[in-house]
Every structure is written in C-alpha cells, then in structure tokens.
Amino acid sequence: MSSAEAEAERAARAALTWVAEPGDPLMGALLRYCSPAGIVAALIEGRMPRTAWVPADSAVPETADPPRRGGAPQGSPCEGSPCEGSPCEGSPCEGSLPEAGALGGGAGTLWAGGEPAGMPRLARALSRWAARLGEVPPESGLVALRRDGIRLVIPGDAEWPSQLGVLGEARPWGLWVRGRADLRYACLRSVSVVGTRAATGYGTHVCGEMAISLAEAGWTVVSGGAFGIDGCAHRGAMAVCGTTVAVLACGVDRAYPQAHEGLFDSIRERGALVSEWPPGRMPTRPGFLFRNRVIAALSRGTVVVEAALRSGALNTARHAHDQGRPLMAVPGPVTSPQSAGCHEAIRDWGAVCVTSARDVMELLAFSGDEPAGQQRGPVLARDLLSQEDTQVLEALPARAGRGPARIAIAAGVDFDTVMRCLGGLAAAGFVERCDRGWRLRRPQPGAHVGPNA
C-alpha cells in the first residue's frame, strides 16, 4: 500500500469513528467486504458500497490479494469482461457475492455492481451513518488534533495491538490515542485491573498493592479511568513510574469523570489514553459497556478486585471469559456485597482466585518472561536488528526527541521506512515517543537488557 493509499484509509477510518457507533455489527461486517474509503465514498454519494473480494467464511483482511481466474477475482464482477458490473452466469463469480445474512439481513444477494438488492436493515444503517457525515471534521481539524498529541492508530499500523483481532467483526475501526506510550508495546505485557466505583478500604488497599507490584515487575496496568478501583489501579502503577493505559468511553480530549482530569494528565505522561470514540464525544451509558470489551481484549488477562453483583466490572469479566482470556478475581469478606460479584465469577465462571500480584504474574507469564521483580528491557539484541532498523536506531537522540522527518535525513532512508522501523523498534523496547518526537528508550534501574543491547 502506497503512502497516499495509507493516508486515505486512515482518513476514512477516522470518519467512520464519527459516523458509526463502536461495535456496530453492521459496520463490522461491512468492513469485511468493503474498504473504509469505499464505505465513506458511498455514504457521501448516497449509494450502496461496492464490495471488495473477501469470502464470507474467511478472516482474510481487506488488503489481501484474491486468487484470480481468468483475470477476475472470485466473488466480484469480472473486470474487463462483458459481465463487468454483475455476476456472470456459469463463472466462478456466479452467486458468490456476500449474502445479506452475513450482514444481519434477509436472504438473497446483498448487492451487485453497487445496486442494492433487498437489504432494508443495511439501507437504514447507511442512512443513519450518512446523516452523521456533518460531524466529521475537515482535514485541518485532523491536523489540529495531531498537533494536540492525539493520533489515530488503525489496523496495519506498527502501533496497532494485534490481540484486538479476538473481537472479530466487533474490532474497533481505529483507536484514538493520546499519550507517550506506544500502545502495542505497552500492551504486550499487560493486565486489566477493574472493579467497582464504590470501592471499600479493603478493595483500594488490595488494588493499590497489586498495581504497584505489577508495575514494578514491568507489567502495564490497563483499566477504565473511573472512580474507585479503576482510579486506584492507575495511581498505583504511576506511583512507581510504571506504565498504565486508560480505555475511555468518551473522546480522549474529554475528562470523564471531570474529577479525574489531573489523573488523565498524569496518565498521558506515563502511558496512554485510548478511545474508540472520536475527540469531542461525550460518554453515554451504553458506551461504558461497549468499551469494556476493549479493556478485556488489550491485555493478557483481567483481574476483578471488587465488584457487586450488578457492577459494570462484571461486564468486563464476561468479555474476558468469552474471549478465552484468563479471568481472575480477588476474594473478599463474605459479608461484603462489594465482593459478591468476585465470588460469583470464581464460583460460576471459573475465574481463578488471586490474592497478590505474584499470583497474577504466575498465571499470565509466558515462558520467555523475566522473573517477577525485574524490569523489562529490549527484547532483541542489537545485532539481530535489520540494517534499516540499525540505521534508524543510530539516528535517534538519547535525551531530546527528534521528529521522523529529521530521523529520515540522519539515517539516510525514506520517511515510510522510518515510520515502519520506529514502530518495530518501539515494540522491541528500543525507542519511545516524547514531546519532540522519538528518542532512545530510557533504561529503568535494574532493567534486564539483552546481550549487545
């Protein structure tokens, strides 16, 4: 994909975050068959989107090159032939266009050559999305967001957390991120810590101790930025200069709850604020439940510290359980209603009972992880890096940051190569974002660093 095509897809996915609600199953299914730019163009022109080749039972991404027969992709109109614009009889194209049932509609072909063929539910959705196009800011507005330190991370970016693929068609169209941390690298070794807003003294003590110990061992703490257990988890990680990620149910430029504005400012310095909702969007009650699936999907596992039977934290726990991710819960007093949800998760959902950060780390650790108590350093030795990676790495300053354009000049490579290498180097632990661009990652005291690193 060329730079122009990549930027067009980024702009289109940005627009989709304004027009479609996160987790919308119709949009998720539509993205299997159509490019983001194609969907946005169809909304602007008031027509049905044209399909791209992706078989209905396949998880192949939109960018995959389809197998061809006779010069035409299967499952689409034959290019350059008399049947162009409609499926051709007796050819591999016949009847292989996406079925309406795949998008939640009735039986029959969804569309052929851009003409709707009976899809009332999709038609209503397209009308609903098109009505919101006026909310999408112009290019100058997106540039202003980037100036404010807000970036859009999309599938295919080096910073995109690949573990979000577990969400299938409910995967975010893109994630708005504000903060210094590289999202993919931060979430490679992370744990979600969630719980009730009405936390007790017992819950805040256990949560604080657990978050501190996890952060000291090099784990990123993921939570939702709410009052109670969420806020305690974020503060615990930052108390020892650890990394924390807050997944919000509003735009990353909004402080909700407002009393956590100072907390969110601190998280931007030590981690990242993340949201599926575009900048400027205020939270809604259903939005908190939708974002919980992302909290569960970003990390290796989820810990419920304290939760009543109707706590929203149990919604996150249910997502973790359904995603096949390790689910843990902290037991509490049997007389405390704030721990009743944790006990239910242990009894009915198979959640593992944990009482300390060590229990969590032992359950989630991979065989290659450092023992508890050691900070994480680069995961590759320098002599295993490619020549381009090495050139880019040598061009980065140790203290003051440097922008990608200046790095490209210093390294003697093009801009696209720099952006690709920076993502990989960040994921490997060599570099980090800063106010002025990029710099070498600062080793923490006692950090374990690979040979020749």
Side-chain angles (χ1 to χ4, degrees):
M1 183 182 295
S2 68
S3 299
E5 291 172 333
E7 285 307 309
E9 176 166 356
R10 189 177 307 280
R13 285 186 177 271
L16 294 184
T17 67
W18 265 282
V19 303
E21 289 298 317
D24 188 318
L26 281 174
M27 180 61 78
L30 195 60
L31 283 168
R32 290 187 62 198
Y33 302 106
C34 309
S35 68
I39 295 173
V40 173
L43 294 178
I44 294 173
E45 297 169 13
R47 59 171 172 78
M48 190 69 71
R50 294 184 175 88
T51 58
W53 182 89
V54 178
D57 59 349
S58 171
V60 178
E62 301 94 331
T63 55
D65 290 324
R68 290 178 173 266
R69 178 176 176 179
Q74 297 178 8
S76 71
C78 295
E79 296 179 353
S81 72
C83 58
E84 184 170 4
S86 63
C88 45
E89 292 186 3
S91 77
C93 302
E94 185 177 19
S96 60
L97 286 173
E99 296 297 314
L103 295 180
T109 302
L110 176 58
W111 63 81
E115 295 299 326
M119 186 57 178
R121 188 179 174 194
L122 178 60
R124 288 194 299 270
L126 291 169
S127 177
R128 183 173 68 249
W129 299 332
R132 296 176 179 170
L133 283 172
E135 300 178 20
V136 181
E139 176 62 26
S140 59
L142 299 177
V143 171
L145 292 175
R146 288 195 289 270
R147 268 199 311 267
D148 289 340
I150 299 174
R151 60 190 184 274
L152 180 67
V153 180
I154 65 173
D157 283 350
E159 194 180 356
W160 179 259
S162 58
Q163 61 267 35
L164 290 176
V166 73
L167 297 174
E169 291 179 353
R171 183 181 70 169
W173 339 129
L175 289 173
W176 294 95
V177 181
R178 193 177 197 183
R180 294 186 176 184
D182 181 278
L183 185 60
R184 178 174 178 269
Y185 176 71
C187 293
L188 285 176
R189 199 162 179 255
S190 63
V191 57
S192 297
V193 180
V194 298
T196 179
R197 288 174 170 83
T200 66
Y202 166 80
T204 55
H205 171 75
V206 172
C207 179
E209 291 293 317
M210 183 175 290
I212 288 172
S213 298
L214 287 168
E216 284 181 331
W219 288 75
T220 296
V221 175
V222 179
S223 199
F227 287 130
I229 295 300
D230 286 15
C232 185
H234 293 306
R235 292 188 182 95
M238 290 188 294
V240 291
C241 298
T243 302
T244 186
V245 172
V247 183
L248 308 180
C250 58
V252 293
D253 59 338
R254 300 294 186 203
Y256 188 89
Q258 191 170 357
H260 276 182
E261 183 173 5
L263 173 64
F264 294 150
D265 288 342
S266 299
I267 292 175
R268 286 164 50 191
E269 294 297 314
R270 292 297 315 169
L273 303 174
V274 177
S275 180
E276 295 178 81
W277 281 265
R281 191 66 58 86
M282 295 302 294
T284 62
R285 188 179 296 273
F288 290 101
L289 299 179
F290 285 136
R291 68 89 191 262
N292 288 344
R293 77 194 196 290
V294 177
I295 294 177
L298 275 177
S299 66
R300 289 193 190 178
T302 297
V303 182
V304 185
V305 177
E306 228 181 8
L309 288 174
R310 295 181 60 82
S311 171
L314 289 187
N315 178 259
T316 307
R318 172 62 73 183
H319 282 298
H321 177 270
D322 292 345
Q323 293 166 12
R325 297 285 167 82
L327 175 61
M328 297 152 279
V330 176
V334 295
T335 56
S336 172
Q338 298 302 84
S339 290
C342 295
H343 299 155
E344 181 184 72
I346 293 171
R347 183 183 65 247
D348 298 338
W349 300 357
V352 177
C353 178
V354 293
T355 59
S356 66
R358 182 168 292 277
D359 292 344
V360 175
M361 290 185 286
E362 287 178 354
L363 180 65
L364 299 183
F366 294 160
S367 59
D369 287 339
E370 295 88 355
Q374 289 188 339
Q375 297 291 336
R376 193 176 185 202
V379 297
L380 288 174
R382 282 199 181 211
D383 55 10
L384 296 179
L385 296 175
S386 69
Q387 181 178 348
E388 289 178 340
D389 285 333
T390 301
Q391 289 175 244
V392 171
L393 187 61
E394 293 294 334
L396 273 111
R399 298 179 183 273
R402 181 175 290 172
R406 292 180 59 199
I407 295 172
I409 294 172
V413 297
D414 59 59
F415 185 82
D416 289 344
T417 299
V418 164
M419 296 306 297
R420 185 184 71 250
C421 292
L422 286 174
L425 290 170
F430 285 104
V431 303
E432 63 184 359
R433 293 181 186 271
C434 63
D435 289 337
R436 296 184 178 181
W438 293 83
R439 67 184 176 199
L440 296 177
R441 187 176 180 85
R442 296 176 179 176
Q444 298 173 342
H448 172 71
V449 180
N452 302 320

